[in-house]
Amino acid sequence: MPVIKYPRIIDPLFYEWDRKAQKCGLRHTIYAVNGDQYTGEWLDNLKHGKGTQIWKSTGAIYSGDWKFGKRDGYGSYSILDPVTKEYKRVYTGWWENDRRGGRGTFFYPNGEQYDGEWSNGLRSGWGKMCYKDGSVYEGQWLMDQPNGQGVLQLPNGKRYEGGWKDGKKHGPGKYFYLDKGQLLEGIWVADIPKCGVLVDFGRDNASAPTEFLLPEIELHDPAAVLAEARAMFDDSHN
């Protein structure tokens, strides 16, 4: 019986080209169609592992960890100064799903700096913000605003310790007038003190103390007044 030989099936050439183009492991610089370039590790044709990306349109550079094509892990992001042509750090810290997430430090163009926790690219958790005017806030954050408990230290030495909501003083808190040697303890609503007790505090070390001592409260117990005010505040927010 004659043997029938069938022609060998050969894959189209572009199949071979595609297999060779698949990126996995450490590769040299790969250029995208838009001019962006990446040097580092790959997995299944995606940036994965350690690598550096440079965006042609902005000149920005990211160097750090990648996970399935997205910045994920620890890394540093910098931008190119158009005048000095030098790179300036913008953010150094942890990333999650291509956004700032975890602990990291952000450097603002005006010289301000935030060091703390992030979630979905926003300040959330515990962090410290140093403002351009010399003020420093350290405490809890939510959706890029002070929320929860925190301390605001002003350049003139005054400070506020207490509750915050949407970036404003809100709830029970204490405001220290160290220059006058006084302390206001009370309830704040949207940055405004609604009620409280003002007492002398550290007058001996105050730089500009008041001329006379504050009179003592005889008709009401300060602690009782504050307790009643806090109870009213809690009831109105439940």
Side-chain angles (χ1 to χ4, degrees):
M1 178 179 293
V3 177
I4 301 176
K5 294 184 178 181
Y6 294 96
R8 183 180 178 184
I9 299 176
I10 301 176
D11 291 335
L13 191 58
F14 66 83
Y15 281 0
E16 181 65 20
W17 293 342
D18 185 62
R19 280 193 293 269
K20 290 182 178 180
Q22 293 293 314
K23 295 176 284 294
C24 189
L26 181 63
R27 298 291 293 268
H28 293 296
T29 303
I30 302 295
Y31 292 88
V33 176
N34 61 3
D36 295 347
Q37 61 185 71
Y38 172 81
T39 305
E41 297 176 302
W42 298 78
L43 179 64
D44 295 333
N45 219 33
L46 294 173
K47 302 163 192 170
H48 190 89
K50 301 288 185 181
T52 300
Q53 166 94 15
I54 300 177
W55 287 268
K56 182 179 180 180
S57 60
T58 61
I61 181 171
Y62 169 81
S63 182
D65 296 324
W66 297 79
K67 186 175 181 181
F68 301 119
K70 296 182 179 181
R71 291 169 291 185
D72 199 296
Y74 190 85
S76 180
Y77 179 80
S78 303
I79 59 174
L80 186 65
D81 190 302
V83 178
T84 63
K85 302 301 180 182
E86 296 180 351
Y87 279 100
K88 291 185 177 180
R89 286 186 303 169
V90 175
Y91 176 76
T92 299
W94 292 91
W95 300 73
E96 293 178 356
N97 197 30
D98 218 33
R99 307 184 74 178
R100 293 183 293 274
R103 185 66 183 264
T105 303
F106 192 93
F107 304 89
Y108 294 85
N110 62 359
E112 297 180 346
Q113 178 178 322
Y114 172 81
D115 181 20
E117 296 175 302
W118 298 79
S119 179
N120 292 321
L122 301 176
R123 293 169 289 186
S124 292
W126 190 271
K128 180 179 180 180
M129 182 73 188
C130 298
Y131 296 95
K132 187 176 181 180
D133 65 357
S135 302
V136 177
Y137 170 82
E138 185 171 6
Q140 295 174 306
W141 295 75
L142 181 65
M143 299 296 290
D144 231 28
Q145 296 284 354
N147 269 275
Q149 294 295 310
V151 178
L152 176 64
Q153 182 78 44
L154 300 177
N156 57 14
K158 298 177 182 178
R159 75 174 186 271
Y160 169 81
E161 301 176 1
W164 295 80
K165 183 180 180 182
D166 299 330
K168 297 180 179 180
K169 295 181 278 292
H170 193 84
K174 299 178 180 180
Y175 200 103
F176 295 84
Y177 299 89
L178 298 183
D179 57 334
K180 297 183 179 299
Q182 294 179 336
L183 164 64
L184 173 62
E185 184 174 1
I187 305 295
W188 273 256
V189 175
D191 250 0
I192 300 175
K194 293 297 183 178
C195 64
V197 176
L198 184 65
V199 297
D200 287 315
F201 179 86
R203 284 178 58 87
D204 294 339
N205 297 322
S207 59
T210 55
E211 184 176 357
F212 302 103
L213 292 172
L214 291 171
E216 296 184 1
I217 300 177
E218 299 179 356
L219 298 178
H220 299 283
D221 180 10
V225 172
L226 288 176
E228 182 178 355
R230 287 174 180 171
M232 294 175 61
F233 178 83
D234 293 337
D235 290 341
S236 64
H237 288 75
N238 289 334

PDB file of all heavy atoms in Angstrom, residues 102-105 113-118 123-131 136-142 145-147 149-152:
ATOM      1  N   GLY A 102       0.098  53.207  51.068  1.00  0.00           N
ATOM      2  CA  GLY A 102       1.047  52.790  52.094  1.00  0.00           C
ATOM      3  C   GLY A 102       1.795  53.994  52.631  1.00  0.00           C
ATOM      4  O   GLY A 102       1.301  55.125  52.590  1.00  0.00           O
ATOM      5  N   ARG A 103       3.000  53.789  53.118  1.00  0.00           N
ATOM      6  CA  ARG A 103       3.784  54.875  53.709  1.00  0.00           C
ATOM      7  C   ARG A 103       4.674  55.527  52.660  1.00  0.00           C
ATOM      8  O   ARG A 103       5.318  54.832  51.873  1.00  0.00           O
ATOM      9  CB  ARG A 103       4.646  54.324  54.853  1.00  0.00           C
ATOM     10  CG  ARG A 103       5.428  55.381  55.633  1.00  0.00           C
ATOM     11  CD  ARG A 103       4.496  56.298  56.387  1.00  0.00           C
ATOM     12  NE  ARG A 103       5.210  57.343  57.075  1.00  0.00           N
ATOM     13  CZ  ARG A 103       5.570  57.278  58.380  1.00  0.00           C
ATOM     14  NH1 ARG A 103       5.276  56.186  59.079  1.00  0.00           N
ATOM     15  NH2 ARG A 103       6.198  58.270  58.963  1.00  0.00           N
ATOM     16  N   GLY A 104       4.685  56.855  52.634  1.00  0.00           N
ATOM     17  CA  GLY A 104       5.531  57.539  51.671  1.00  0.00           C
ATOM     18  C   GLY A 104       5.647  59.021  51.948  1.00  0.00           C
ATOM     19  O   GLY A 104       4.898  59.587  52.753  1.00  0.00           O
ATOM     20  N   THR A 105       6.592  59.655  51.257  1.00  0.00           N
ATOM     21  CA  THR A 105       6.858  61.085  51.422  1.00  0.00           C
ATOM     22  C   THR A 105       6.616  61.801  50.099  1.00  0.00           C
ATOM     23  O   THR A 105       7.146  61.400  49.063  1.00  0.00           O
ATOM     24  CB  THR A 105       8.304  61.331  51.880  1.00  0.00           C
ATOM     25  OG1 THR A 105       8.538  60.625  53.101  1.00  0.00           O
ATOM     26  CG2 THR A 105       8.551  62.810  52.099  1.00  0.00           C
ATOM     27  N   GLN A 113       5.834  69.578  52.531  1.00  0.00           N
ATOM     28  CA  GLN A 113       6.186  68.157  52.533  1.00  0.00           C
ATOM     29  C   GLN A 113       5.219  67.373  53.421  1.00  0.00           C
ATOM     30  O   GLN A 113       4.860  67.817  54.513  1.00  0.00           O
ATOM     31  CB  GLN A 113       7.618  67.974  53.032  1.00  0.00           C
ATOM     32  CG  GLN A 113       8.086  66.528  53.118  1.00  0.00           C
ATOM     33  CD  GLN A 113       9.529  66.422  53.571  1.00  0.00           C
ATOM     34  OE1 GLN A 113      10.385  67.233  53.197  1.00  0.00           O
ATOM     35  NE2 GLN A 113       9.817  65.415  54.380  1.00  0.00           N
ATOM     36  N   TYR A 114       4.807  66.210  52.914  1.00  0.00           N
ATOM     37  CA  TYR A 114       3.956  65.306  53.693  1.00  0.00           C
ATOM     38  C   TYR A 114       4.646  63.964  53.835  1.00  0.00           C
ATOM     39  O   TYR A 114       5.122  63.388  52.854  1.00  0.00           O
ATOM     40  CB  TYR A 114       2.604  65.111  53.013  1.00  0.00           C
ATOM     41  CG  TYR A 114       1.753  64.033  53.668  1.00  0.00           C
ATOM     42  CD1 TYR A 114       1.012  64.305  54.818  1.00  0.00           C
ATOM     43  CD2 TYR A 114       1.699  62.746  53.148  1.00  0.00           C
ATOM     44  CE1 TYR A 114       0.242  63.325  55.422  1.00  0.00           C
ATOM     45  CE2 TYR A 114       0.929  61.758  53.743  1.00  0.00           C
ATOM     46  CZ  TYR A 114       0.204  62.051  54.887  1.00  0.00           C
ATOM     47  OH  TYR A 114      -0.546  61.077  55.491  1.00  0.00           O
ATOM     48  N   ASP A 115       4.687  63.472  55.072  1.00  0.00           N
ATOM     49  CA  ASP A 115       5.287  62.174  55.347  1.00  0.00           C
ATOM     50  C   ASP A 115       4.274  61.359  56.139  1.00  0.00           C
ATOM     51  O   ASP A 115       3.944  61.705  57.276  1.00  0.00           O
ATOM     52  CB  ASP A 115       6.584  62.341  56.141  1.00  0.00           C
ATOM     53  CG  ASP A 115       7.256  61.002  56.436  1.00  0.00           C
ATOM     54  OD1 ASP A 115       6.951  60.028  55.726  1.00  0.00           O
ATOM     55  OD2 ASP A 115       8.068  60.934  57.377  1.00  0.00           O
ATOM     56  N   GLY A 116       3.755  60.313  55.520  1.00  0.00           N
ATOM     57  CA  GLY A 116       2.756  59.526  56.225  1.00  0.00           C
ATOM     58  C   GLY A 116       2.115  58.484  55.339  1.00  0.00           C
ATOM     59  O   GLY A 116       2.716  58.014  54.368  1.00  0.00           O
ATOM     60  N   GLU A 117       0.883  58.152  55.668  1.00  0.00           N
ATOM     61  CA  GLU A 117       0.183  57.068  55.001  1.00  0.00           C
ATOM     62  C   GLU A 117      -0.693  57.590  53.857  1.00  0.00           C
ATOM     63  O   GLU A 117      -1.206  58.717  53.911  1.00  0.00           O
ATOM     64  CB  GLU A 117      -0.673  56.303  56.011  1.00  0.00           C
ATOM     65  CG  GLU A 117       0.160  55.607  57.088  1.00  0.00           C
ATOM     66  CD  GLU A 117      -0.696  54.964  58.157  1.00  0.00           C
ATOM     67  OE1 GLU A 117      -1.478  55.689  58.794  1.00  0.00           O
ATOM     68  OE2 GLU A 117      -0.573  53.740  58.350  1.00  0.00           O
ATOM     69  N   TRP A 118      -0.873  56.717  52.848  1.00  0.00           N
ATOM     70  CA  TRP A 118      -1.639  57.052  51.651  1.00  0.00           C
ATOM     71  C   TRP A 118      -2.617  55.922  51.329  1.00  0.00           C
ATOM     72  O   TRP A 118      -2.387  54.772  51.694  1.00  0.00           O
ATOM     73  CB  TRP A 118      -0.721  57.250  50.440  1.00  0.00           C
ATOM     74  CG  TRP A 118       0.259  58.364  50.582  1.00  0.00           C
ATOM     75  CD1 TRP A 118       1.432  58.331  51.281  1.00  0.00           C
ATOM     76  CD2 TRP A 118       0.169  59.670  50.023  1.00  0.00           C
ATOM     77  NE1 TRP A 118       2.084  59.535  51.185  1.00  0.00           N
ATOM     78  CE2 TRP A 118       1.322  60.377  50.420  1.00  0.00           C
ATOM     79  CE3 TRP A 118      -0.764  60.313  49.215  1.00  0.00           C
ATOM     80  CZ2 TRP A 118       1.567  61.693  50.040  1.00  0.00           C
ATOM     81  CZ3 TRP A 118      -0.531  61.624  48.835  1.00  0.00           C
ATOM     82  CH2 TRP A 118       0.622  62.305  49.240  1.00  0.00           C
ATOM     83  N   ARG A 123      -3.859  61.330  50.852  1.00  0.00           N
ATOM     84  CA  ARG A 123      -3.383  61.219  52.230  1.00  0.00           C
ATOM     85  C   ARG A 123      -4.498  60.633  53.098  1.00  0.00           C
ATOM     86  O   ARG A 123      -5.557  61.232  53.246  1.00  0.00           O
ATOM     87  CB  ARG A 123      -2.979  62.601  52.752  1.00  0.00           C
ATOM     88  CG  ARG A 123      -1.766  63.203  52.052  1.00  0.00           C
ATOM     89  CD  ARG A 123      -1.567  64.661  52.394  1.00  0.00           C
ATOM     90  NE  ARG A 123      -2.606  65.491  51.784  1.00  0.00           N
ATOM     91  CZ  ARG A 123      -2.623  66.826  51.818  1.00  0.00           C
ATOM     92  NH1 ARG A 123      -1.656  67.483  52.442  1.00  0.00           N
ATOM     93  NH2 ARG A 123      -3.590  67.497  51.252  1.00  0.00           N
ATOM     94  N   SER A 124      -4.250  59.475  53.637  1.00  0.00           N
ATOM     95  CA  SER A 124      -5.237  58.798  54.483  1.00  0.00           C
ATOM     96  C   SER A 124      -4.495  57.936  55.493  1.00  0.00           C
ATOM     97  O   SER A 124      -3.609  57.172  55.118  1.00  0.00           O
ATOM     98  CB  SER A 124      -6.181  57.927  53.654  1.00  0.00           C
ATOM     99  OG  SER A 124      -7.024  58.706  52.827  1.00  0.00           O
ATOM    100  N   GLY A 125      -4.895  58.077  56.763  1.00  0.00           N
ATOM    101  CA  GLY A 125      -4.203  57.365  57.827  1.00  0.00           C
ATOM    102  C   GLY A 125      -3.506  58.359  58.737  1.00  0.00           C
ATOM    103  O   GLY A 125      -4.038  59.434  59.023  1.00  0.00           O
ATOM    104  N   TRP A 126      -2.322  58.016  59.188  1.00  0.00           N
ATOM    105  CA  TRP A 126      -1.560  58.908  60.075  1.00  0.00           C
ATOM    106  C   TRP A 126      -0.441  59.561  59.291  1.00  0.00           C
ATOM    107  O   TRP A 126       0.284  58.892  58.558  1.00  0.00           O
ATOM    108  CB  TRP A 126      -0.966  58.124  61.248  1.00  0.00           C
ATOM    109  CG  TRP A 126      -0.385  59.014  62.303  1.00  0.00           C
ATOM    110  CD1 TRP A 126       0.885  59.486  62.378  1.00  0.00           C
ATOM    111  CD2 TRP A 126      -1.069  59.581  63.427  1.00  0.00           C
ATOM    112  NE1 TRP A 126       1.040  60.305  63.484  1.00  0.00           N
ATOM    113  CE2 TRP A 126      -0.145  60.377  64.141  1.00  0.00           C
ATOM    114  CE3 TRP A 126      -2.382  59.491  63.892  1.00  0.00           C
ATOM    115  CZ2 TRP A 126      -0.491  61.059  65.303  1.00  0.00           C
ATOM    116  CZ3 TRP A 126      -2.717  60.180  65.045  1.00  0.00           C
ATOM    117  CH2 TRP A 126      -1.777  60.954  65.747  1.00  0.00           C
ATOM    118  N   GLY A 127      -0.293  60.889  59.452  1.00  0.00           N
ATOM    119  CA  GLY A 127       0.747  61.564  58.701  1.00  0.00           C
ATOM    120  C   GLY A 127       1.106  62.921  59.271  1.00  0.00           C
ATOM    121  O   GLY A 127       0.379  63.488  60.091  1.00  0.00           O
ATOM    122  N   LYS A 128       2.228  63.433  58.800  1.00  0.00           N
ATOM    123  CA  LYS A 128       2.741  64.733  59.243  1.00  0.00           C
ATOM    124  C   LYS A 128       2.907  65.628  58.038  1.00  0.00           C
ATOM    125  O   LYS A 128       3.577  65.275  57.067  1.00  0.00           O
ATOM    126  CB  LYS A 128       4.079  64.549  59.958  1.00  0.00           C
ATOM    127  CG  LYS A 128       4.709  65.842  60.454  1.00  0.00           C
ATOM    128  CD  LYS A 128       6.023  65.556  61.168  1.00  0.00           C
ATOM    129  CE  LYS A 128       6.682  66.829  61.682  1.00  0.00           C
ATOM    130  NZ  LYS A 128       7.976  66.540  62.373  1.00  0.00           N
ATOM    131  N   MET A 129       2.287  66.818  58.097  1.00  0.00           N
ATOM    132  CA  MET A 129       2.339  67.785  57.000  1.00  0.00           C
ATOM    133  C   MET A 129       3.063  69.041  57.466  1.00  0.00           C
ATOM    134  O   MET A 129       2.666  69.668  58.460  1.00  0.00           O
ATOM    135  CB  MET A 129       0.922  68.130  56.549  1.00  0.00           C
ATOM    136  CG  MET A 129       0.863  69.101  55.386  1.00  0.00           C
ATOM    137  SD  MET A 129       1.343  68.329  53.830  1.00  0.00           S
ATOM    138  CE  MET A 129       1.398  69.786  52.765  1.00  0.00           C
ATOM    139  N   CYS A 130       4.126  69.404  56.743  1.00  0.00           N
ATOM    140  CA  CYS A 130       4.865  70.628  57.038  1.00  0.00           C
ATOM    141  C   CYS A 130       4.496  71.667  55.977  1.00  0.00           C
ATOM    142  O   CYS A 130       4.795  71.482  54.789  1.00  0.00           O
ATOM    143  CB  CYS A 130       6.364  70.361  57.019  1.00  0.00           C
ATOM    144  SG  CYS A 130       6.925  69.168  58.261  1.00  0.00           S
ATOM    145  N   TYR A 131       3.851  72.748  56.402  1.00  0.00           N
ATOM    146  CA  TYR A 131       3.363  73.771  55.485  1.00  0.00           C
ATOM    147  C   TYR A 131       4.430  74.850  55.236  1.00  0.00           C
ATOM    148  O   TYR A 131       5.364  75.016  56.016  1.00  0.00           O
ATOM    149  CB  TYR A 131       2.089  74.406  56.023  1.00  0.00           C
ATOM    150  CG  TYR A 131       0.940  73.436  56.125  1.00  0.00           C
ATOM    151  CD1 TYR A 131       0.676  72.772  57.322  1.00  0.00           C
ATOM    152  CD2 TYR A 131       0.125  73.163  55.031  1.00  0.00           C
ATOM    153  CE1 TYR A 131      -0.379  71.863  57.439  1.00  0.00           C
ATOM    154  CE2 TYR A 131      -0.929  72.269  55.126  1.00  0.00           C
ATOM    155  CZ  TYR A 131      -1.170  71.619  56.338  1.00  0.00           C
ATOM    156  OH  TYR A 131      -2.199  70.722  56.430  1.00  0.00           O
ATOM    157  N   VAL A 136       2.816  73.061  61.283  1.00  0.00           N
ATOM    158  CA  VAL A 136       2.995  71.612  61.189  1.00  0.00           C
ATOM    159  C   VAL A 136       1.753  70.930  61.762  1.00  0.00           C
ATOM    160  O   VAL A 136       1.344  71.218  62.894  1.00  0.00           O
ATOM    161  CB  VAL A 136       4.241  71.127  61.964  1.00  0.00           C
ATOM    162  CG1 VAL A 136       4.352  69.605  61.894  1.00  0.00           C
ATOM    163  CG2 VAL A 136       5.500  71.773  61.402  1.00  0.00           C
ATOM    164  N   TYR A 137       1.155  70.060  60.960  1.00  0.00           N
ATOM    165  CA  TYR A 137       0.027  69.252  61.444  1.00  0.00           C
ATOM    166  C   TYR A 137       0.452  67.794  61.464  1.00  0.00           C
ATOM    167  O   TYR A 137       0.986  67.270  60.487  1.00  0.00           O
ATOM    168  CB  TYR A 137      -1.198  69.400  60.540  1.00  0.00           C
ATOM    169  CG  TYR A 137      -2.287  68.392  60.884  1.00  0.00           C
ATOM    170  CD1 TYR A 137      -3.175  68.624  61.930  1.00  0.00           C
ATOM    171  CD2 TYR A 137      -2.403  67.194  60.186  1.00  0.00           C
ATOM    172  CE1 TYR A 137      -4.155  67.697  62.259  1.00  0.00           C
ATOM    173  CE2 TYR A 137      -3.387  66.267  60.509  1.00  0.00           C
ATOM    174  CZ  TYR A 137      -4.254  66.524  61.549  1.00  0.00           C
ATOM    175  OH  TYR A 137      -5.221  65.600  61.885  1.00  0.00           O
ATOM    176  N   GLU A 138       0.175  67.150  62.581  1.00  0.00           N
ATOM    177  CA  GLU A 138       0.465  65.723  62.702  1.00  0.00           C
ATOM    178  C   GLU A 138      -0.740  65.036  63.325  1.00  0.00           C
ATOM    179  O   GLU A 138      -1.199  65.419  64.401  1.00  0.00           O
ATOM    180  CB  GLU A 138       1.709  65.471  63.536  1.00  0.00           C
ATOM    181  CG  GLU A 138       2.107  63.997  63.590  1.00  0.00           C
ATOM    182  CD  GLU A 138       3.460  63.764  64.230  1.00  0.00           C
ATOM    183  OE1 GLU A 138       4.050  64.744  64.734  1.00  0.00           O
ATOM    184  OE2 GLU A 138       3.933  62.605  64.226  1.00  0.00           O
ATOM    185  N   GLY A 139      -1.250  64.048  62.616  1.00  0.00           N
ATOM    186  CA  GLY A 139      -2.425  63.349  63.119  1.00  0.00           C
ATOM    187  C   GLY A 139      -3.065  62.493  62.049  1.00  0.00           C
ATOM    188  O   GLY A 139      -2.397  62.020  61.116  1.00  0.00           O
ATOM    189  N   GLN A 140      -4.364  62.330  62.172  1.00  0.00           N
ATOM    190  CA  GLN A 140      -5.106  61.457  61.269  1.00  0.00           C
ATOM    191  C   GLN A 140      -5.595  62.220  60.035  1.00  0.00           C
ATOM    192  O   GLN A 140      -5.940  63.398  60.117  1.00  0.00           O
ATOM    193  CB  GLN A 140      -6.297  60.839  62.008  1.00  0.00           C
ATOM    194  CG  GLN A 140      -5.889  59.903  63.142  1.00  0.00           C
ATOM    195  CD  GLN A 140      -7.072  59.415  63.945  1.00  0.00           C
ATOM    196  OE1 GLN A 140      -7.864  60.199  64.434  1.00  0.00           O
ATOM    197  NE2 GLN A 140      -7.193  58.098  64.093  1.00  0.00           N
ATOM    198  N   TRP A 141      -5.639  61.484  58.906  1.00  0.00           N
ATOM    199  CA  TRP A 141      -6.089  62.035  57.629  1.00  0.00           C
ATOM    200  C   TRP A 141      -7.130  61.106  57.010  1.00  0.00           C
ATOM    201  O   TRP A 141      -7.135  59.896  57.261  1.00  0.00           O
ATOM    202  CB  TRP A 141      -4.924  62.170  56.648  1.00  0.00           C
ATOM    203  CG  TRP A 141      -3.876  63.155  57.051  1.00  0.00           C
ATOM    204  CD1 TRP A 141      -2.929  62.978  58.013  1.00  0.00           C
ATOM    205  CD2 TRP A 141      -3.655  64.460  56.508  1.00  0.00           C
ATOM    206  NE1 TRP A 141      -2.132  64.096  58.103  1.00  0.00           N
ATOM    207  CE2 TRP A 141      -2.557  65.014  57.195  1.00  0.00           C
ATOM    208  CE3 TRP A 141      -4.279  65.206  55.507  1.00  0.00           C
ATOM    209  CZ2 TRP A 141      -2.066  66.286  56.905  1.00  0.00           C
ATOM    210  CZ3 TRP A 141      -3.787  66.473  55.223  1.00  0.00           C
ATOM    211  CH2 TRP A 141      -2.696  67.004  55.915  1.00  0.00           C
ATOM    212  N   LEU A 142      -7.987  61.701  56.187  1.00  0.00           N
ATOM    213  CA  LEU A 142      -8.957  60.923  55.421  1.00  0.00           C
ATOM    214  C   LEU A 142      -9.294  61.691  54.148  1.00  0.00           C
ATOM    215  O   LEU A 142      -9.653  62.878  54.221  1.00  0.00           O
ATOM    216  CB  LEU A 142     -10.232  60.665  56.234  1.00  0.00           C
ATOM    217  CG  LEU A 142     -11.323  59.840  55.532  1.00  0.00           C
ATOM    218  CD1 LEU A 142     -10.821  58.425  55.263  1.00  0.00           C
ATOM    219  CD2 LEU A 142     -12.595  59.804  56.385  1.00  0.00           C
ATOM    220  N   GLN A 145      -7.622  65.128  53.681  1.00  0.00           N
ATOM    221  CA  GLN A 145      -7.902  66.197  54.636  1.00  0.00           C
ATOM    222  C   GLN A 145      -7.682  65.698  56.065  1.00  0.00           C
ATOM    223  O   GLN A 145      -7.910  64.517  56.343  1.00  0.00           O
ATOM    224  CB  GLN A 145      -9.353  66.682  54.507  1.00  0.00           C
ATOM    225  CG  GLN A 145      -9.701  67.322  53.184  1.00  0.00           C
ATOM    226  CD  GLN A 145      -9.157  68.738  53.058  1.00  0.00           C
ATOM    227  OE1 GLN A 145      -8.612  69.291  54.012  1.00  0.00           O
ATOM    228  NE2 GLN A 145      -9.298  69.335  51.885  1.00  0.00           N
ATOM    229  N   PRO A 146      -7.254  66.590  56.992  1.00  0.00           N
ATOM    230  CA  PRO A 146      -7.191  66.182  58.398  1.00  0.00           C
ATOM    231  C   PRO A 146      -8.565  65.752  58.892  1.00  0.00           C
ATOM    232  O   PRO A 146      -9.530  66.503  58.781  1.00  0.00           O
ATOM    233  CB  PRO A 146      -6.707  67.454  59.112  1.00  0.00           C
ATOM    234  CG  PRO A 146      -5.936  68.210  58.062  1.00  0.00           C
ATOM    235  CD  PRO A 146      -6.691  67.952  56.789  1.00  0.00           C
ATOM    236  N   ASN A 147      -8.652  64.532  59.392  1.00  0.00           N
ATOM    237  CA  ASN A 147      -9.895  63.990  59.922  1.00  0.00           C
ATOM    238  C   ASN A 147      -9.567  63.065  61.088  1.00  0.00           C
ATOM    239  O   ASN A 147      -8.729  62.173  60.934  1.00  0.00           O
ATOM    240  CB  ASN A 147     -10.660  63.193  58.850  1.00  0.00           C
ATOM    241  CG  ASN A 147     -11.651  64.039  58.075  1.00  0.00           C
ATOM    242  OD1 ASN A 147     -12.777  64.253  58.480  1.00  0.00           O
ATOM    243  ND2 ASN A 147     -11.192  64.541  56.938  1.00  0.00           N
ATOM    244  N   GLN A 149      -8.205  62.748  65.037  1.00  0.00           N
ATOM    245  CA  GLN A 149      -7.453  63.438  66.074  1.00  0.00           C
ATOM    246  C   GLN A 149      -6.115  63.911  65.522  1.00  0.00           C
ATOM    247  O   GLN A 149      -5.443  63.187  64.790  1.00  0.00           O
ATOM    248  CB  GLN A 149      -7.208  62.505  67.262  1.00  0.00           C
ATOM    249  CG  GLN A 149      -8.472  62.100  67.999  1.00  0.00           C
ATOM    250  CD  GLN A 149      -9.161  63.279  68.664  1.00  0.00           C
ATOM    251  OE1 GLN A 149      -8.527  64.075  69.385  1.00  0.00           O
ATOM    252  NE2 GLN A 149     -10.453  63.419  68.426  1.00  0.00           N
ATOM    253  N   GLY A 150      -5.742  65.153  65.874  1.00  0.00           N
ATOM    254  CA  GLY A 150      -4.473  65.674  65.394  1.00  0.00           C
ATOM    255  C   GLY A 150      -4.040  66.920  66.137  1.00  0.00           C
ATOM    256  O   GLY A 150      -4.818  67.531  66.876  1.00  0.00           O
ATOM    257  N   VAL A 151      -2.781  67.286  65.913  1.00  0.00           N
ATOM    258  CA  VAL A 151      -2.185  68.459  66.559  1.00  0.00           C
ATOM    259  C   VAL A 151      -1.677  69.406  65.476  1.00  0.00           C
ATOM    260  O   VAL A 151      -0.942  68.996  64.578  1.00  0.00           O
ATOM    261  CB  VAL A 151      -1.013  68.056  67.481  1.00  0.00           C
ATOM    262  CG1 VAL A 151      -0.375  69.295  68.094  1.00  0.00           C
ATOM    263  CG2 VAL A 151      -1.487  67.099  68.567  1.00  0.00           C
ATOM    264  N   LEU A 152      -2.078  70.678  65.578  1.00  0.00           N
ATOM    265  CA  LEU A 152      -1.597  71.719  64.676  1.00  0.00           C
ATOM    266  C   LEU A 152      -0.702  72.667  65.446  1.00  0.00           C
ATOM    267  O   LEU A 152      -1.148  73.319  66.390  1.00  0.00           O
ATOM    268  CB  LEU A 152      -2.758  72.494  64.054  1.00  0.00           C
ATOM    269  CG  LEU A 152      -2.355  73.676  63.160  1.00  0.00           C
ATOM    270  CD1 LEU A 152      -1.592  73.192  61.934  1.00  0.00           C
ATOM    271  CD2 LEU A 152      -3.573  74.498  62.750  1.00  0.00           C
TER     272      LEU A 152
END
